[in-house]
Amino acid sequence: MAEWLFEIFSEEIPSRMQPEAQEQLKTLTEALLKEKELPFESIKTFITPRRLTVVVEGLPLQTLPIREEKKGPRVDASPSAIEGFLKTAGVGREDCEVKETPKGSFLFVVKNEPGRPTQEVLSQIAPSLLEKFRWPKSMRWGSLAVTWVRPIRGLLSILDGRVVPFSYAGLEASNKTRGHRFLAPEPFTVDNFQDYEKKLKDHFVILDWEERQELIQKEITRVAHNVHLTPLEDSALLDEVAGLVEWPIAYVGAVDKHFMNLPPKVITTPMRVHQRYFPLMDSKQKLAPFFGVISNSEGSDRGKTIVIGNERVLRARLADAQFFWEQDQKKPLEHFNTALKTRLFHQQLGSLFDKVERLVKLSSRIAKHVGANPKLVERAALLSKADLASQMVGEFPELQGIMGCYYAQNQGEAPEVARAIEEHYWPKVSGGEIPDALPSLILAIADRLDSLMGFFTIGITPSGSKDPYALRRAGLSLIALSLNPHFSLSMIEVLGWAYDTYPWSELTPSLLKTKEQAVSDVWQFLLERFKFALRNGQGSPYDHVDAVLGVAHENPTFSDLALRVQALDKLMDGEDGQNLLSAYKRASNILKIEEEKDKQLYEGHVKEEVLKVSEEKALFTNLSIKSPNIQDLVAKGNFVKAVQDLATLRPYVDQFFDKVVVNTEEGDLRINRLHLLAYLRKTLHQVADFSKLEG
Amino acid sequence: MKTDFQTVILNLQEFWAQKGCVILQPYDAEVGAGTFHPATTLKALGPKPWRAAYVQPSRRPADGRYGENPNRLYRHHQYQVLLKPSPDNVQDIYLESLKYIGLDPLLHDIRFVEDDWESPTLGASGLGWEVWGNGQEITQFTYFQQVGGFACDPVPAELTYGLERLVSVLQGIENVYDLDWNSPEGEAHMTYGDVAHQMEKEFSAFSFEHADAPMIFRHFEDAEAMCRHLVENKLVLPAYEYCLKASHLFNLLDARGVLSVTERANTIGRVRALARQCCELWMENSNG
């Protein structure tokens, strides 16, 4: 069994692309080996800023021989038939064998492909890997026509220590690679994977991404502990830094004390986003005047110059922030709204200030209906986008909302107002935190309603990969927000309000949908997003959502729908649900056939006195007790209990189908039993349209 | 090793001359970056090899701070290198240049951090990095992929050293005005502030307070018309110079804050159209 080690050595690969690239190399190698009929035991891939590596273990030294037989026409077939066959197969008559079969003598073409040396096959696989690999963004360099994420500068390819020759991008594959850019720049020879990994470490490169990540975590924690602090948890930053260095060394730098009067996020944003530093916290979880930094080498003066340099850069950034902090607060937050008048929300939908004015109206209307204080909500809406015109947000866009909140607090706005300015951007990421406070929630919902209705009304909707206004995300956020039980309004109704808030007669979009059309389009779009959200969030299959939607009333709320789907998920997970479903299917099949035959619909008018067998009596008794209960529970929103009650019907249903024949000769009895089945169907439909469920 | 501002420039000139670059002078019109010099923009296009290096004073009216901000300048200096086609060892040559001016990569933390470059006014873009020295961006390193909407073939590598930042790292100085412009030993010592502070102060006042927006807009339209006229008459270099003038006049209007979002996008589009026509003419004459 042989081992193939292949390294693509390049200039620095962007950190954000590394995890996916490592994954892709694995999938692609696997596919190509399979295509070439090369079996293997394992594939592992690795990535650092400068190399993408795959090692395949357990390869044979030769591929398996391939014997292919192709059957042709009979020996005595017409000359034209034989000629046609020979032409397609690309052989002459003399290359054919004649074989006796039970149906007579036939011509056969037999191809015997001997096994090929693995080395030869790999020589073809390696360049085709490079060709087929897809980066999110790739480039050309020098005078070459090939593309890669950054220029390729070396190719190492060895099978059991021997070079697998091929050339690509003007380079010849070899058994050499290089270590750390500065600490060990000279090329060295590699024998096998174990040797490779070890020699890399000797040459100041940690090959394994996860190992680097863990080391960074450990080292940052260690140096923070030296000054009695702990790093702020931030897995995204950790991931990014793991892709920026091959040999991580941690240092601690100091922040000038006078900057510590700035709000914590104003300090941590330039640290994290711009400089990739780790903020450090004291024992009370308060931001400390220190930061952790990962260097790609130790520095010949043990990091003294590196630390001083990084401190200097941060000082300049914080000096900027300090300046903006003071400048921005020289005027009331509300004054920034003037600048929003010349900033476009969308050319056909007006300026950002127009949007703010709509948000004031829309969120006020919502507030009145859900029992929130409309004055607070209106104020929050009026100030919600003001900070976009502040100098701080101009320099650090990540601070939108956060600065508005700080400035509002300092200027004596109500705490709910300040909070809503920050929190109306939530959830910041899919699955992120949802605001709890009612003014924040209302404003967050109004903001998404306004965007979705505006764009859909003028015909801008997401299609395929095109969604420049991030409407899919807005839709998902709107659903997540409206799952909050405090928001009890019908989505369709509030979509209408959002439509009405636009001064359509003053705007002159090239396309303007009617209110009915626009609301319906957004609603359908939201339902699709809703299915997607439930499947991703709680693993609900699409058919469960469809079943619930099938019986929902006209103006459902998403929280109501989500609860129903959840209850149905639980039911269908168990045996009771599956049995009820098959009973339902059986009942509706029978009903469908019989209703067609009888040209009449059965709707559940069971005559108790006609019931004969004990199993049908028992089913009827249970249905008559439970059906009204279930209806009642659904109306009160207690789906869990409703579904539990439904599940208790199962034994009676099972026994009914076991013992009772529906289509009897006795006409009255048959009709009554059909009504009983219809009663069962109706009862199940109170919770969900079972016909939409897949078995 | 001497690390004053002018010695660093002299060392870079010497280094890149040794690497076969033609050492050029700054373009004698206002530009926002070394990239705008025809020795980069136009020479990046076409099949002929080209290696050039030069200092380019770069004006960014919106970045003026009246000489009061320690890092932001109305006019900073870029050291610009264009190598076409990009050599295989271009990163190594670049790092060698850092050593040549006294930046030891074993002492400092030098990093290549993803940063793709784009110039909407030139219709140009490329892939590369910002090079960090201890967390400070000291160079923009770009493999040009297209200029003026045309694909670059072969691909040039563009190195743009931010001289003020680079020298700040070398001298360990925080405030740009405190940098040594020439050798601090001797009577003739000059700081960056001695040389450039008055310019910062006055040009900030000019671009934020006194620049006459309607007049500048007229100049913009004149420059645009002249550029078109020159393109029609196939005079690519003068045409491109008027494209540069239009670009700088746009920057002035932008700093003055008189352009709405739509007007801004529209004006950028007009400059880009000029740049594109110049590049097209350049390609037709196969001057590359």
Side-chain angles (χ1 to χ4, degrees):
Chain A
M1 291 287 115
E3 175 202 86
W4 181 43
L5 175 64
F6 179 33
E7 180 201 62
I8 305 146
F9 183 81
S10 70
E11 298 183 357
E12 278 76 357
I13 303 164
S15 177
R16 66 188 169 96
M17 300 177 189
Q18 291 176 22
E20 199 281 328
Q22 188 181 343
E23 200 51 48
Q24 189 186 158
L25 180 62
K26 189 170 182 197
T27 331
L28 203 55
T29 309
E30 224 171 86
L32 286 172
L33 290 172
K34 282 200 177 129
E35 192 189 305
K36 299 279 179 191
E37 317 259 354
L38 261 181
F40 56 87
E41 273 162 21
S42 72
I43 298 183
K44 273 197 228 157
T45 54
F46 301 90
I47 194 157
T48 80
R50 293 214 291 162
R51 59 201 89 225
L52 184 53
T53 302
V54 57
V55 57
V56 183
E57 306 275 359
L59 287 165
L61 289 171
Q62 288 223 320
T63 61
L64 295 170
I66 302 168
R67 184 185 156 85
E68 246 183 299
E69 272 191 9
K70 203 171 169 196
K71 191 177 163 193
R74 290 172 72 101
V75 179
D76 51 4
S78 70
S80 64
I82 292 179
E83 203 175 306
F85 168 70
L86 294 176
K87 208 173 164 190
T88 339
V91 292
R93 175 68 182 80
E94 65 282 7
D95 301 320
C96 293
E97 290 176 23
V98 176
K99 285 195 185 184
E100 299 304 322
T101 77
K103 288 180 182 168
S105 307
F106 281 82
L107 287 177
F108 276 82
V109 178
V110 180
K111 266 195 209 160
N112 272 316
E113 266 192 50
R116 293 168 61 201
T118 299
Q119 161 132 343
E120 193 185 307
V121 180
L122 290 175
S123 291
Q124 293 168 351
I125 287 182
S128 101
L129 258 178
L130 289 159
E131 268 161 31
K132 289 190 170 149
F133 201 95
R134 288 289 166 271
W135 293 96
K137 248 178 168 183
S138 53
M139 55 165 278
R140 291 172 294 113
W141 63 95
S143 307
L144 298 168
V146 300
T147 64
W148 196 247
V149 62
R150 291 293 183 277
I152 301 175
R153 297 303 183 201
L155 296 165
L156 175 151
S157 177
I158 50 174
L159 180 68
D160 272 354
R162 286 178 49 211
V163 175
V164 177
F166 77 96
S167 59
Y168 191 83
L171 297 161
E172 294 292 332
S174 75
N175 58 354
K176 289 192 178 60
T177 186
R178 274 168 277 182
H180 189 282
R181 183 183 276 294
F182 302 114
L183 300 172
E186 293 308 315
F188 58 87
T189 306
V190 173
D191 294 332
N192 55 44
F193 177 68
Q194 206 192 346
D195 183 50
Y196 171 74
E197 199 176 18
K198 183 182 174 302
K199 277 188 181 152
L200 278 180
K201 212 162 258 183
D202 295 342
H203 291 79
F204 308 99
V205 174
I206 294 171
L207 178 64
D208 187 52
W209 190 89
E210 272 170 28
E211 190 183 334
R212 284 197 308 277
Q213 198 212 37
E214 279 163 25
L215 184 66
I216 291 167
Q217 173 78 298
K218 205 181 98 202
E219 283 299 291
I220 279 287
T221 309
R222 185 181 62 79
V223 294
H225 280 177
N226 289 345
V227 286
H228 311 290
L229 300 171
T230 48
L232 185 70
E233 250 184 62
D234 189 339
S235 60
L237 182 63
L238 205 57
D239 288 356
E240 193 189 352
V241 176
L244 284 174
V245 292
E246 291 195 312
W247 192 250
I249 303 286
Y251 288 114
V252 166
V255 181
D256 287 10
K257 290 259 172 14
H258 70 270
F259 290 128
M260 299 310 289
N261 293 326
L262 289 168
K265 279 179 189 155
V266 173
I267 302 174
T268 55
T269 300
M271 271 188 189
R272 293 167 47 245
V273 180
H274 296 252
Q275 298 300 134
R276 283 79 161 182
Y277 299 157
F278 293 82
L280 302 184
M281 314 300 278
D282 67 16
S283 56
K284 291 170 196 140
Q285 278 306 298
K286 222 178 124 240
L287 186 66
F290 291 95
F291 62 91
V293 55
I294 294 293
S295 169
N296 193 28
S297 61
E298 194 185 4
S300 48
D301 61 354
R302 304 197 154 233
K304 209 174 139 213
T305 305
I306 293 171
V307 170
I308 291 174
N310 280 289
E311 286 175 345
R312 193 161 48 226
V313 182
L314 184 63
R315 207 174 300 136
R317 293 244 185 227
L318 291 179
D320 275 353
Q322 176 100 47
F323 177 75
F324 300 144
W325 173 248
E326 285 158 12
Q327 288 296 309
D328 285 346
Q329 294 190 86
K330 282 185 177 162
K331 57 181 180 182
L333 183 57
E334 198 177 334
H335 284 206
F336 286 109
N337 274 351
T338 315
L340 299 185
K341 289 178 185 167
T342 53
R343 289 209 193 183
L344 281 180
F345 169 54
H346 182 270
Q347 202 160 9
Q348 300 182 40
L349 298 173
S351 70
L352 266 180
F353 185 69
D354 294 333
K355 182 180 176 92
V356 167
E357 288 192 308
R358 289 195 303 273
L359 289 183
V360 171
K361 286 184 200 148
L362 182 57
S363 55
S364 169
R365 191 166 177 188
I366 296 172
K368 284 172 196 150
H369 279 80
V370 298
N373 180 341
K375 286 271 167 304
L376 284 178
V377 175
E378 284 167 24
R379 184 75 188 151
L382 183 69
L383 299 176
S384 60
K385 306 292 177 190
D387 69 354
L388 294 180
S390 71
Q391 293 196 55
M392 187 78 87
V393 176
E395 178 76 9
F396 304 112
E398 303 83 2
L399 289 173
Q400 66 175 12
I402 295 166
M403 292 324 298
C405 174
Y406 285 137
Y407 294 150
Q409 270 171 354
N410 282 0
Q411 294 172 9
E413 298 290 342
E416 296 92 328
V417 170
R419 216 174 136 181
I421 295 171
E422 172 170 1
E423 294 178 353
H424 89 280
Y425 287 109
W426 295 7
K428 282 192 157 176
V429 289
S430 158
E433 203 179 338
I434 301 295
D436 214 26
L438 210 42
S440 311
L441 182 70
I442 292 169
L443 190 52
I445 287 175
D447 194 5
R448 272 71 172 210
L449 284 172
D450 179 78
S451 297
L452 287 167
M453 275 318 296
F455 285 110
F456 270 72
T457 302
I458 61 170
I460 296 178
T461 55
S463 68
S465 61
K466 271 196 188 152
D467 184 12
Y469 300 100
L471 298 179
R472 285 200 186 94
R473 223 190 93 189
L476 276 177
S477 298
L478 179 58
I479 288 161
L481 289 160
S482 59
L483 288 179
N484 185 314
H486 289 306
F487 183 79
S488 48
L489 298 177
S490 139
M491 185 51 70
I492 290 177
E493 195 175 355
V494 292
L495 285 172
W497 297 355
Y499 184 94
D500 293 338
T501 312
Y502 274 89
W504 291 119
S505 56
E506 291 164 32
L507 303 166
T508 46
S510 41
L511 170 83
L512 179 66
K513 291 184 197 164
T514 63
K515 178 173 171 183
E516 201 190 6
Q517 183 63 50
V519 168
S520 155
D521 287 356
V522 178
W523 175 242
Q524 287 310 318
F525 168 77
L526 287 175
L527 283 181
E528 284 307 308
R529 299 279 88 198
F530 181 63
K531 284 189 196 175
F532 179 76
L534 286 194
R535 195 189 59 184
N536 284 8
Q538 55 191 47
S540 308
Y542 284 164
D543 59 322
H544 289 193
V545 187
D546 285 332
V548 165
L549 285 172
V551 300
H553 60 87
E554 274 183 18
N555 283 340
T557 66
F558 281 118
S559 58
D560 181 79
L561 291 174
L563 285 174
R564 285 199 195 203
V565 174
Q566 227 166 34
L568 185 62
D569 288 347
K570 213 173 154 210
L571 176 71
M572 298 315 293
D573 251 4
E575 210 180 300
D576 287 345
Q578 291 304 326
N579 272 43
L580 278 176
L581 177 59
S582 38
Y584 171 87
K585 291 210 160 144
R586 216 161 139 187
S588 26
N589 277 340
I590 296 172
L591 281 168
K592 197 178 153 212
I593 296 167
E594 301 309 314
E595 282 174 342
E596 248 168 55
K597 205 190 285 169
D598 301 353
K599 307 217 179 324
Q600 92 167 83
L601 292 176
Y602 294 99
E603 280 160 343
H605 310 301
V606 181
K607 289 182 184 142
E608 200 174 350
E609 64 278 10
V610 184
L611 295 169
K612 192 171 160 193
V613 192
S614 65
E615 283 80 7
E616 59 179 330
K617 284 180 181 162
L619 179 59
F620 176 70
T621 315
N622 271 283
L623 280 174
S624 7
I625 299 168
K626 277 164 192 165
S627 184
N629 270 350
I630 291 171
Q631 190 165 20
D632 200 38
L633 288 165
V634 168
K636 285 182 187 144
N638 193 346
F639 300 108
V640 177
K641 185 76 181 58
V643 163
Q644 279 168 0
D645 275 19
L646 205 59
T648 62
L649 289 171
R650 179 194 154 192
Y652 306 102
V653 176
D654 287 354
Q655 278 163 26
F656 174 84
F657 280 116
D658 262 6
K659 299 280 158 61
V660 182
V661 181
V662 177
N663 279 319
T664 77
E665 298 297 313
E666 299 167 68
D668 278 2
L669 208 52
R670 173 175 165 272
I671 287 171
N672 205 43
R673 281 176 184 167
L674 287 171
H675 275 298
L676 184 58
L677 288 183
Y679 193 17
L680 170 66
R681 179 171 67 179
K682 208 164 94 181
T683 307
L684 288 165
H685 273 197
Q686 289 171 347
V687 174
D689 181 351
F690 275 65
S691 71
K692 299 265 166 66
L693 291 175
E694 288 155 17
Chain B
M1 179 152 193
K2 283 163 73 171
T3 57
D4 59 78
F5 199 73
Q6 69 188 33
T7 301
V8 169
I9 292 174
L10 291 171
N11 286 340
L12 284 171
Q13 302 275 50
E14 197 173 272
F15 178 85
W16 287 107
Q18 286 166 16
K19 297 293 167 191
C21 286
V22 290
I23 303 298
L24 301 177
Q25 300 308 314
Y27 196 63
D28 53 343
E30 305 100 326
V31 292
T35 307
F36 286 78
H37 196 307
T40 291
T41 310
L42 297 177
K43 289 283 196 177
L45 289 169
K48 292 184 197 161
W50 174 248
R51 288 187 172 204
Y54 52 91
V55 177
Q56 183 63 55
S58 304
R59 299 185 188 223
R60 309 242 166 118
D63 284 352
R65 291 291 182 273
Y66 295 86
E68 284 163 16
N69 183 296
N71 307 299
R72 288 191 197 227
L73 297 166
Y74 167 88
R75 183 198 63 180
H76 68 289
H77 297 80
Q78 296 186 340
Y79 194 86
Q80 171 83 4
V81 181
L82 193 80
L83 306 168
K84 180 174 92 172
S86 66
D88 287 345
N89 59 346
V90 55
Q91 274 187 319
D92 293 334
I93 306 177
Y94 164 72
L95 292 167
E96 206 186 310
S97 79
L98 292 185
K99 284 184 214 157
Y100 201 83
I101 57 174
L103 195 76
D104 174 8
L106 290 173
L107 181 63
H108 299 269
D109 179 28
I110 307 293
R111 221 94 67 75
F112 291 81
V113 181
E114 178 194 12
D115 189 34
D116 298 338
W117 171 85
E118 198 173 351
S119 166
T121 38
L122 287 179
S125 63
L127 268 63
W129 313 269
E130 25 176 81
V131 183
W132 284 13
N134 307 326
Q136 172 77 274
E137 183 195 343
I138 51 174
T139 304
Q140 185 80 36
F141 191 130
T142 309
Y143 291 96
F144 276 2
Q145 302 295 297
Q146 64 165 20
V147 173
F150 294 94
C152 297
D153 187 15
V155 170
E158 181 205 49
L159 313 175
T160 305
Y161 303 75
L163 283 171
E164 281 81 357
R165 286 178 172 181
L166 184 62
V167 177
S168 293
V169 171
L170 282 168
Q171 295 186 12
I173 295 283
E174 314 228 332
N175 189 327
V176 63
Y177 298 106
D178 296 336
L179 292 176
D180 296 321
W181 187 286
N182 61 4
S183 170
E185 294 140 25
E187 286 167 27
H189 178 222
M190 289 281 161
T191 64
Y192 192 95
D194 294 333
V195 177
H197 190 264
Q198 187 181 357
M199 178 167 186
E200 287 301 318
K201 216 170 123 185
E202 294 188 2
F203 273 92
S204 296
F206 159 68
S207 49
F208 293 128
E209 299 164 43
H210 300 286
D212 181 328
M215 186 193 288
I216 292 171
F217 199 71
R218 283 202 308 276
H219 290 172
F220 176 85
E221 299 210 305
D222 285 347
E224 186 186 36
M226 181 69 92
C227 178
R228 289 186 190 286
H229 173 72
L230 292 166
V231 166
E232 275 165 30
N233 289 282
K234 313 259 179 222
L235 293 169
V236 63
L237 292 176
Y240 181 67
E241 184 165 304
Y242 274 84
C243 168
L244 291 181
K245 284 187 194 294
S247 170
H248 175 66
L249 291 162
F250 158 73
N251 287 341
L252 281 176
L253 291 169
D254 196 29
R256 203 76 173 86
V258 295
L259 298 173
S260 75
V261 178
T262 342
E263 281 173 318
R264 189 174 186 277
N266 179 35
T267 316
I268 291 178
R270 284 164 74 173
V271 179
R272 185 169 50 238
L274 298 180
R276 197 191 156 80
Q277 286 174 21
C278 295
C279 291
E280 207 173 342
L281 186 57
W282 176 267
M283 294 290 277
E284 269 172 32
N285 297 353
S286 57
N287 280 318

